[in-house]
Amino acid sequence: MKKLLLQLDPDRHPSAFDRIVAHDAGADEVLSYGGVTAADVTPLVHGAIFTRGPADLRNTAVWVGGTDVATAEALFAAVQKAFFGPFRVSAMMDANGCNTTAAAAVARLASVVTLSGARAVILGGTGPVGIRAATLLAREGATVLLGSRSLDRAKAVAARAAASARGTVTPVEVADEAGTARALEGADVCVTAGAAGVTLVPEALWVKHPRLKALADVNAVPPLGIAGIEAGDKGAERHGKRVFGALGIGGLKMKVHRACVAQLFERNDAVIDLDAIYGVARAS
């Protein structure tokens, strides 16, 4: 029986990236739908699950992607509501790579630094990757500072991350270089998850930092989010600190992405969420 993946994407054109990776991960066919709204989800899901008996539904799964993370989260919730009784399949959401990227970045840091008790700073922290990185770091026992140019936005996002992690996430305003320097005071680790092509941490702010042990940047577009590192850095030691660039993180992200898609076909009731994805990243 073929392994079929139902790809639901709110964008006009379903992600070719997600489709190709799904095939590489073992899906025999990917049924791709673009422009999907929450109202479309139930008939699409039911169309996928009613064609096979409950015993065979582990060979069907649902993937939710797209570039709009908030919309994808709503679609993912609608997918799970569409299931009932034995008529359910495994499902995963990774819009814009938000979950796999954050999981890979934090797992990379965890491989070189003890995160429990550490002070972690996330810059550009109000985007999808920053929010999830904050959640994972807090769950690891780190004290997290979540930085943004807008303090109000940082407060709203920090509260959300703290509630999800049941940990400490403190909002900080980082509007200029002086604000960045203040945020980094006493920090053990730093993650930059800002917009592509924007430097958030000048090299002078971290190379002589007395406490920073590791830094990770998810931006691969020059100039990088952390000046003085390379996109391909994968735990390289620079100025006495371990650093990870976007490509160094991306290799693990892709490995995790493929592994999670493969897991969708191991059973018919898995919900591969941020926690599950991070578990795969830590074990990889």
mmCIF file of all heavy atoms in Angstrom, residues 87-109:
data_model
loop_
_atom_site.group_PDB
_atom_site.id
_atom_site.type_symbol
_atom_site.label_atom_id
_atom_site.label_comp_id
_atom_site.label_asym_id
_atom_site.label_seq_id
_atom_site.Cartn_x
_atom_site.Cartn_y
_atom_site.Cartn_z
ATOM 1 N N PHE A 87 -10.920 6.981 12.840
ATOM 2 C CA PHE A 87 -10.607 7.655 11.585
ATOM 3 C C PHE A 87 -9.718 8.868 11.848
ATOM 4 O O PHE A 87 -10.167 10.004 11.964
ATOM 5 C CB PHE A 87 -11.892 8.054 10.858
ATOM 6 C CG PHE A 87 -12.650 6.879 10.327
ATOM 7 C CD1 PHE A 87 -13.719 6.351 11.043
ATOM 8 C CD2 PHE A 87 -12.269 6.269 9.140
ATOM 9 C CE1 PHE A 87 -14.400 5.251 10.571
ATOM 10 C CE2 PHE A 87 -12.960 5.161 8.662
ATOM 11 C CZ PHE A 87 -14.023 4.644 9.379
ATOM 12 N N ARG A 88 -8.443 8.580 11.962
ATOM 13 C CA ARG A 88 -7.441 9.614 12.200
ATOM 14 C C ARG A 88 -6.125 9.164 11.598
ATOM 15 O O ARG A 88 -5.864 7.965 11.445
ATOM 16 C CB ARG A 88 -7.290 9.908 13.695
ATOM 17 C CG ARG A 88 -6.875 8.717 14.550
ATOM 18 C CD ARG A 88 -6.935 9.067 16.038
ATOM 19 N NE ARG A 88 -8.312 9.342 16.443
ATOM 20 C CZ ARG A 88 -8.737 10.535 16.875
ATOM 21 N NH1 ARG A 88 -7.888 11.544 16.974
ATOM 22 N NH2 ARG A 88 -9.980 10.693 17.228
ATOM 23 N N VAL A 89 -5.298 10.130 11.248
ATOM 24 C CA VAL A 89 -3.971 9.836 10.704
ATOM 25 C C VAL A 89 -2.958 10.749 11.387
ATOM 26 O O VAL A 89 -3.319 11.724 12.037
ATOM 27 C CB VAL A 89 -3.924 10.041 9.172
ATOM 28 C CG1 VAL A 89 -4.882 9.097 8.465
ATOM 29 C CG2 VAL A 89 -4.217 11.482 8.789
ATOM 30 N N SER A 90 -1.704 10.431 11.230
ATOM 31 C CA SER A 90 -0.659 11.264 11.828
ATOM 32 C C SER A 90 -0.552 12.582 11.077
ATOM 33 O O SER A 90 -0.806 12.662 9.868
ATOM 34 C CB SER A 90 0.676 10.526 11.802
ATOM 35 O OG SER A 90 0.620 9.384 12.640
ATOM 36 N N ALA A 91 -0.164 13.633 11.804
ATOM 37 C CA ALA A 91 -0.121 14.976 11.212
ATOM 38 C C ALA A 91 1.053 15.770 11.770
ATOM 39 O O ALA A 91 1.483 15.570 12.909
ATOM 40 C CB ALA A 91 -1.429 15.713 11.483
ATOM 41 N N MET A 92 1.534 16.707 10.948
ATOM 42 C CA MET A 92 2.664 17.554 11.335
ATOM 43 C C MET A 92 2.489 18.933 10.721
ATOM 44 O O MET A 92 1.977 19.074 9.608
ATOM 45 C CB MET A 92 3.976 16.925 10.852
ATOM 46 C CG MET A 92 5.228 17.748 11.123
ATOM 47 S SD MET A 92 6.720 16.839 10.633
ATOM 48 C CE MET A 92 7.969 18.116 10.840
ATOM 49 N N MET A 93 2.910 19.961 11.455
ATOM 50 C CA MET A 93 2.918 21.334 10.952
ATOM 51 C C MET A 93 4.338 21.902 11.065
ATOM 52 O O MET A 93 4.956 21.803 12.108
ATOM 53 C CB MET A 93 1.960 22.219 11.757
ATOM 54 C CG MET A 93 1.689 23.597 11.121
ATOM 55 S SD MET A 93 3.003 24.825 11.295
ATOM 56 C CE MET A 93 2.824 25.288 13.012
ATOM 57 N N ASP A 94 4.828 22.450 9.950
ATOM 58 C CA ASP A 94 6.151 23.090 9.988
ATOM 59 C C ASP A 94 6.185 24.239 8.989
ATOM 60 O O ASP A 94 7.047 24.303 8.122
ATOM 61 C CB ASP A 94 7.254 22.074 9.692
ATOM 62 C CG ASP A 94 8.641 22.615 10.024
ATOM 63 O OD1 ASP A 94 8.760 23.346 11.031
ATOM 64 O OD2 ASP A 94 9.598 22.307 9.293
ATOM 65 N N ALA A 95 5.226 25.145 9.122
ATOM 66 C CA ALA A 95 5.147 26.278 8.201
ATOM 67 C C ALA A 95 6.430 27.095 8.233
ATOM 68 O O ALA A 95 6.921 27.463 9.300
ATOM 69 C CB ALA A 95 3.960 27.158 8.568
ATOM 70 N N ASN A 96 6.971 27.350 7.050
ATOM 71 C CA ASN A 96 8.195 28.150 6.916
ATOM 72 C C ASN A 96 9.367 27.544 7.686
ATOM 73 O O ASN A 96 10.310 28.252 8.050
ATOM 74 C CB ASN A 96 7.945 29.590 7.381
ATOM 75 C CG ASN A 96 8.458 30.615 6.381
ATOM 76 O OD1 ASN A 96 8.825 30.271 5.253
ATOM 77 N ND2 ASN A 96 8.495 31.863 6.770
ATOM 78 N N GLY A 97 9.290 26.259 7.975
ATOM 79 C CA GLY A 97 10.359 25.591 8.711
ATOM 80 C C GLY A 97 10.502 26.043 10.148
ATOM 81 O O GLY A 97 11.546 25.825 10.781
ATOM 82 N N CYS A 98 9.428 26.644 10.717
ATOM 83 C CA CYS A 98 9.551 27.263 12.044
ATOM 84 C C CYS A 98 9.928 26.260 13.127
ATOM 85 O O CYS A 98 10.805 26.543 13.955
ATOM 86 C CB CYS A 98 8.260 27.992 12.411
ATOM 87 S SG CYS A 98 6.783 26.956 12.468
ATOM 88 N N ASN A 99 9.287 25.115 13.144
ATOM 89 C CA ASN A 99 9.543 24.150 14.222
ATOM 90 C C ASN A 99 10.867 23.426 14.042
ATOM 91 O O ASN A 99 11.639 23.274 14.997
ATOM 92 C CB ASN A 99 8.400 23.138 14.295
ATOM 93 C CG ASN A 99 7.125 23.734 14.858
ATOM 94 O OD1 ASN A 99 7.167 24.628 15.699
ATOM 95 N ND2 ASN A 99 5.984 23.259 14.391
ATOM 96 N N THR A 100 11.143 22.968 12.812
ATOM 97 C CA THR A 100 12.389 22.226 12.596
ATOM 98 C C THR A 100 13.610 23.128 12.744
ATOM 99 O O THR A 100 14.649 22.695 13.251
ATOM 100 C CB THR A 100 12.396 21.557 11.214
ATOM 101 O OG1 THR A 100 12.046 22.516 10.204
ATOM 102 C CG2 THR A 100 11.392 20.403 11.172
ATOM 103 N N THR A 101 13.513 24.383 12.314
ATOM 104 C CA THR A 101 14.655 25.296 12.428
ATOM 105 C C THR A 101 14.950 25.627 13.883
ATOM 106 O O THR A 101 16.111 25.586 14.327
ATOM 107 C CB THR A 101 14.396 26.589 11.636
ATOM 108 O OG1 THR A 101 14.180 26.272 10.263
ATOM 109 C CG2 THR A 101 15.572 27.548 11.760
ATOM 110 N N ALA A 102 13.915 25.970 14.641
ATOM 111 C CA ALA A 102 14.120 26.284 16.060
ATOM 112 C C ALA A 102 14.655 25.065 16.808
ATOM 113 O O ALA A 102 15.568 25.186 17.637
ATOM 114 C CB ALA A 102 12.813 26.753 16.683
ATOM 115 N N ALA A 103 14.088 23.903 16.526
ATOM 116 C CA ALA A 103 14.538 22.687 17.202
ATOM 117 C C ALA A 103 16.005 22.399 16.889
ATOM 118 O O ALA A 103 16.784 22.029 17.779
ATOM 119 C CB ALA A 103 13.667 21.504 16.780
ATOM 120 N N ALA A 104 16.391 22.581 15.628
ATOM 121 C CA ALA A 104 17.780 22.333 15.249
ATOM 122 C C ALA A 104 18.724 23.335 15.905
ATOM 123 O O ALA A 104 19.811 22.960 16.380
ATOM 124 C CB ALA A 104 17.923 22.390 13.730
ATOM 125 N N ALA A 105 18.335 24.602 15.960
ATOM 126 C CA ALA A 105 19.195 25.625 16.559
ATOM 127 C C ALA A 105 19.420 25.355 18.035
ATOM 128 O O ALA A 105 20.560 25.419 18.535
ATOM 129 C CB ALA A 105 18.578 27.008 16.362
ATOM 130 N N VAL A 106 18.355 25.044 18.757
ATOM 131 C CA VAL A 106 18.493 24.804 20.197
ATOM 132 C C VAL A 106 19.238 23.493 20.449
ATOM 133 O O VAL A 106 20.059 23.403 21.374
ATOM 134 C CB VAL A 106 17.117 24.816 20.880
ATOM 135 C CG1 VAL A 106 17.248 24.469 22.367
ATOM 136 C CG2 VAL A 106 16.465 26.191 20.730
ATOM 137 N N ALA A 107 18.986 22.490 19.630
ATOM 138 C CA ALA A 107 19.710 21.224 19.793
ATOM 139 C C ALA A 107 21.204 21.422 19.558
ATOM 140 O O ALA A 107 22.035 20.812 20.252
ATOM 141 C CB ALA A 107 19.152 20.176 18.831
ATOM 142 N N ARG A 108 21.556 22.253 18.579
ATOM 143 C CA ARG A 108 22.972 22.542 18.350
ATOM 144 C C ARG A 108 23.590 23.200 19.590
ATOM 145 O O ARG A 108 24.690 22.834 20.021
ATOM 146 C CB ARG A 108 23.129 23.472 17.144
ATOM 147 C CG ARG A 108 22.895 22.838 15.783
ATOM 148 C CD ARG A 108 23.895 21.751 15.484
ATOM 149 N NE ARG A 108 23.907 21.406 14.074
ATOM 150 C CZ ARG A 108 24.367 20.252 13.593
ATOM 151 N NH1 ARG A 108 24.827 19.334 14.431
ATOM 152 N NH2 ARG A 108 24.364 19.996 12.304
ATOM 153 N N LEU A 109 22.903 24.161 20.170
ATOM 154 C CA LEU A 109 23.419 24.807 21.374
ATOM 155 C C LEU A 109 23.543 23.810 22.523
ATOM 156 O O LEU A 109 24.528 23.820 23.265
ATOM 157 C CB LEU A 109 22.512 25.963 21.774
ATOM 158 C CG LEU A 109 22.512 27.181 20.846
ATOM 159 C CD1 LEU A 109 21.435 28.172 21.265
ATOM 160 C CD2 LEU A 109 23.882 27.866 20.845
#
